[in-house]
Amino acid sequence: MYQAQQSSETKKSILKEWLGAFVFALVMAGIVHTFFMQLFAVPTGSMEKNIMIGDHLYVSKLNFGPRLPMTPIAMPLVHNTLPFTNNNAYSELIKLGYYRLPGTETLDRGEIVVFNWPVDKDSKGNIRPVDMKEHYVKRCVAIPNDVLEVKQGTLYINGKQAPFHEHDQSSYLVTTDGSMFNNDFLKELGVREFSSDPNANNDMLIVAENQYYMFLSKAQVKQLKQNPIVKSITEQLQPENKREDDIFQPLNTKWNIDNYGPLTIPSIGTTVKLTLANLPVYKNIISDYEENQLKVENGNIYINGKKADSYTFRMNYYFMMGDNRHNSLDSRSWGFVPENHIVGKPLFIYWSSNDRGSLLDGVRWDRIFKNVE
């Protein structure tokens, strides 16, 4: 009888120790995740050839400063959706304000940034809490008070051409003499995959027997021109004054991805004049990001019930673009990134896998521990 009771107490003690260790591990994981680092998998090709689909990034929270949780009631070890369901993995019963601890550096132009996608919604169409929105990775091309403009595919900041990054890409139509490209040449060029499917996410699309649509950097274009089968290479740019309706812009402009702006990036404390024409540019800032009640009635703009013809920003904002300029859903499509959406700075690739590879080449060993620049 005594031995059975002792055995039962021993089992309870072991179970209690295991439970305590598990809770401690969760707490430590939460502290590391909040204040130090986060791991992030890259699902799209908007930053190729710099960051590739299948890369797994080590993202530092210390560089731009750790952001304290704004939605503290959430399932641990998952982001915003419960596995195998469309249900949210968090509760908005408690919502905290935005606060960021000091970082080791300030976010500047040219930095690659992981941030929460500002316009993300849950399965019911509701805007998610800031820290529960999906993660995106892009390059910060403009900071508060900058004037951004794109002219024929070239980026200008404050009237000056922005520094060129070796990974910047555009789309080109390549015409050959009818001969096929050698696979070894394509591999050397850095074109990894190609297809005839226009919906496929590839480096090269076969348009016709002698025509190819390619995403290329300037260095790749130079190398491609040396191939004797290539007859012409034409950059595919949108013409000026052709409005793209799915582009983030005022009502009275004719902007597109290659001819965009000028647009001034909002900064904290700056006041902007509001009109019905430019309201689409500031609507999300006023109503969603800075949580005011916005209404348009009889041609007038009302903020928090009062007629308004101006607005003063309460946060800093940034403009993000993908290096793969013609294959990137970025700020040109959905607008500014508020400072409270900044997650961290990716430092290096800790793992890289090619989901189209075989068992032997499914891991990109040459990319593991590669710095992100």
Side-chain angles (χ1 to χ4, degrees):
M1 179 73 175
Y2 175 75
Q3 289 182 341
Q5 183 178 359
Q6 189 179 36
S7 176
S8 176
E9 291 178 354
T10 301
K11 290 179 180 178
K12 289 181 180 179
S13 178
I14 294 174
L15 180 61
K16 186 176 180 180
E17 288 180 8
W18 275 101
L19 183 60
F22 178 72
V23 171
F24 177 78
L26 283 180
V27 171
M28 291 303 298
I31 292 174
V32 170
H33 182 274
T34 300
F35 294 100
F36 296 98
M37 53 78 68
Q38 186 171 346
L39 305 179
F40 174 74
V42 178
T44 69
S46 66
M47 288 296 292
E48 296 200 9
K49 306 285 187 305
N50 188 5
I51 301 174
M52 299 165 66
I53 297 173
D55 283 349
H56 294 250
L57 307 178
Y58 176 99
V59 180
S60 167
K61 302 286 186 75
L62 298 175
N63 291 66
F64 304 139
R67 182 185 62 184
L68 299 188
M70 289 174 271
T71 314
I73 303 178
M75 285 288 293
L77 306 181
V78 296
H79 183 41
N80 54 30
T81 305
L82 291 172
F84 312 111
T85 74
N86 287 324
N87 298 322
N88 293 332
Y90 55 87
S91 169
E92 296 187 66
L93 187 63
I94 298 177
K95 291 198 241 183
L96 303 178
Y98 164 62
Y99 184 78
R100 188 184 298 274
L101 297 175
T104 60
E105 62 180 286
T106 56
L107 176 53
D108 203 354
R109 304 179 201 96
E111 298 277 9
I112 295 179
V113 186
V114 170
F115 56 93
N116 296 108
W117 184 33
V119 295
D120 187 31
K121 298 180 180 180
D122 63 19
S123 60
K124 296 180 181 178
N126 301 315
I127 294 286
R128 293 188 188 275
V130 171
D131 52 346
M132 292 297 157
K133 294 178 180 179
E134 289 295 334
H135 293 123
Y136 269 35
V137 57
K138 309 286 181 188
R139 191 180 297 277
C140 176
V141 296
I143 61 177
N145 281 326
D146 278 349
V147 178
L148 174 143
E149 190 169 9
V150 180
K151 301 177 183 179
Q152 286 300 97
T154 300
L155 176 65
Y156 293 83
I157 302 296
N158 302 324
K160 298 180 180 179
Q161 185 173 335
F164 172 76
H165 295 282
E166 62 174 320
H167 301 291
D168 288 349
Q169 292 182 88
S170 187
S171 55
Y172 296 84
L173 184 65
V174 180
T175 303
T176 71
D177 60 7
S179 304
M180 294 288 292
F181 283 110
N182 181 280
N183 285 333
D184 290 336
F185 172 76
L186 291 176
K187 186 175 180 179
E188 180 184 350
L189 184 65
V191 176
R192 298 173 296 106
E193 295 148 349
F194 57 92
S195 171
S196 58
D197 179 6
N199 296 316
N201 196 342
N202 296 284
D203 288 343
M204 182 173 81
L205 177 67
I206 302 173
V207 179
E209 185 176 349
N210 67 328
Q211 288 188 320
Y212 304 85
Y213 187 85
M214 294 185 179
F215 295 111
L216 301 168
S217 66
K218 292 188 181 299
Q220 288 174 311
V221 170
K222 184 177 180 180
Q223 185 178 354
L224 194 61
K225 285 180 177 179
Q226 298 174 1
N227 191 308
I229 74 169
V230 174
K231 296 304 178 184
S232 66
I233 303 176
T234 308
E235 188 173 6
Q236 302 296 287
L237 297 174
Q238 293 279 4
E240 292 184 78
N241 297 318
K242 179 185 177 181
R243 180 184 175 92
E244 285 188 281
D245 289 332
D246 57 351
I247 289 299
F248 177 76
Q249 60 181 303
L251 292 175
N252 58 352
T253 53
K254 295 181 179 179
W255 299 353
N256 54 59
I257 60 172
D258 296 314
N259 296 278
Y260 189 91
L263 178 68
T264 301
I265 313 305
S267 65
I268 187 169
T270 300
T271 300
V272 64
K273 181 177 175 59
L274 290 181
T275 67
L276 293 179
N278 70 14
L279 188 60
V281 172
Y282 305 114
K283 176 179 178 295
N284 285 346
I285 291 179
I286 298 170
S287 60
D288 295 334
Y289 310 151
E290 300 190 0
E291 299 182 340
N292 297 282
Q293 292 182 347
L294 175 65
K295 183 172 68 172
V296 176
E297 192 174 81
N298 298 325
N300 295 313
I301 300 170
Y302 294 86
I303 299 176
N304 299 324
K306 296 181 180 180
K307 187 176 178 181
D309 60 3
S310 65
Y311 183 77
T312 301
F313 303 111
R314 301 203 301 264
M315 277 194 293
N316 284 320
Y317 291 83
Y318 300 87
F319 202 93
M320 308 290 182
M321 290 175 64
D323 289 354
N324 197 352
R325 296 290 171 80
H326 282 178
N327 191 27
S328 174
L329 183 67
D330 53 37
S331 286
R332 291 170 296 176
S333 299
W334 36 256
F336 308 111
V337 175
E339 64 178 76
N340 65 351
H341 284 57
I342 303 298
V343 175
K345 179 177 182 176
L347 299 183
F348 61 87
I349 299 164
Y350 71 90
W351 182 257
S352 183
S353 58
N354 178 11
D355 60 359
R356 299 186 186 183
S358 64
L359 182 64
L360 295 177
D361 64 359
V363 178
R364 303 187 188 107
W365 297 105
D366 60 327
R367 295 189 62 76
I368 295 178
F369 297 120
K370 182 178 184 295
N371 291 336
V372 175
E373 299 174 336

